Amino acid sequence: IVTGDHSTPALHAEHSWHPVPVLIASDRVRPAAAAFGETTARSGDLGRFRACHLMSLALAHGQRLIKFGA
């Protein structure tokens, strides 16, 4: 996983409330974008999600979640 702890758009030249790009890659999952950045992240497969869901996404993409039920 590659990400940042906050957004710093060049237009604002300081920390902001804007979304932070996230890249998840492993031997099982390939990134859809050719580069990592705010522009390419906008068209990525993950879309927008709350940061509290990042660990669940990482575990799911790494096939590390325990299956319950059927």
Side-chain angles (χ1 to χ4, degrees):
I1 297 175
V2 178
T3 190
D5 61 344
H6 58 268
S7 183
T8 310
L11 183 63
H12 294 280
E14 62 184 357
H15 297 173
S16 75
W17 62 93
H18 294 87
V20 178
V22 174
L23 174 81
I24 298 177
S26 73
D27 58 346
R28 295 178 182 95
V29 179
R30 291 183 173 206
F36 175 73
E38 295 169 355
T39 304
T40 54
R42 277 190 223 129
S43 62
D45 292 342
L46 293 174
R48 282 191 179 188
F49 61 90
R50 294 178 53 91
C52 62
H53 300 297
L54 180 58
M55 187 55 73
S56 296
L57 278 171
L59 291 170
H61 282 286
Q63 297 181 347
R64 298 286 189 222
L65 290 178
I66 298 172
K67 295 180 181 178
F68 294 98

